Amino acid sequence: MSFSVSPDDNVASDRPVLVSLLPSRAMPGILREGLEQCGRLYFWPEMRYEEQERIGTLASVLIGTASSRVTAEVLRRFPACRMIASFGVGYDGYDMAALKRRGIVLTNTPNVLSDDVADLAFAMILNLSRGIGRADSWLREGRWPDGGFPLQTRVSGKRLGIFGLGRIGSEIARRGEAFHMQIGYTDLTGKNTKWQRFPTLKELAVWSDYLVVIVPATEATHHVVDAEILMALGTKGYLINVARGSVVNTKALIDSLKTRTIAGAGLDVFENEPYVEAELKALPNTILTPHIGTATLETRRMMADLVVRNVHAFVNGNKPITPVAN
Ligand code: 8YV
């Protein structure tokens, strides 16, 4: 019995062998169809050990996601691997040093998803400040006839602090401008722009009404949003995290939300996702979403298309379109 999902499971075939690290149920149809045009596609999590041994040695291309964990040890199972195409922009789960040693090219899906992540950050800002979710529940509970919904907080004209002014951070800044907000940022690369640059995260936090985290997860950014930064953000400040859970110290965040050291938080990413601390879920001053930053039909279609174009270029001996610099 074959565990291949490819219609032509013929090992003698010279079509490239592509191995997906995500299960078939998690791969969008459009991505699967495109990849099947590029080679023979196998789904690693659904293969028996013996099948993995056989196909692993033949695989020239791996398909991963932003949440894949690809270590040197994982790579040992794929001695012929020359490329990994990730369906996502963040690559914190990939051991870049190991990839370099092996001469493996990693591609990701930048740009096409920036608008969606920026939109979600803004939806959180608006929802936290204007209490849209709470107002909706309040109305459904039939409380309107007893009086008006409590006054909330204005967004327009406020200070928007962006921690990480990359492609997505810049889109968040542009949305802030449309809301007549003052824009401040601190950026690990120290780039200068028309917006106000702060030398440290702490100074940015002191200044900000909304502090949006949109830096990559690295050793340098691990838990950098800690008790001190949250204290600096202050009782009227909101934290929004659309980057990675590891950038924020969850315990410090829970403490600061409980004690109202900050006003509230909007979180799309979590340290132990898909598991979310019960304490966070119990707090009224949070908005929690299940890592949906890029989760629209349109964006996922564009991401799939970019993955396929990268793989197609590579298997045909051309340069991939969006390689990650390494
Ligand atoms: C992924 C993400 O897009 O792209 C990223 O870095 O965090 C995610 O939104 C999603 O997991 C699909 O792979």
Side-chain angles (χ1 to χ4, degrees), residues 100-119:
K100 193 170 190 166
R101 278 197 301 277
R102 284 274 311 269
I104 297 172
V105 176
L106 174 68
T107 62
N108 65 348
T109 60
N111 303 315
V112 294
L113 48 66
S114 301
D115 280 329
D116 266 11
V117 182
D119 287 353

Side-chain angles (χ1 to χ4, degrees), residues 44-62:
W44 192 250
E46 287 145 48
M47 291 158 72
R48 274 213 312 248
Y49 188 77
E50 310 80 65
E51 191 78 356
Q52 287 184 340
E53 289 282 274
R54 187 173 70 92
I55 297 300
T57 58
L58 299 172
S60 54
V61 176
L62 302 185

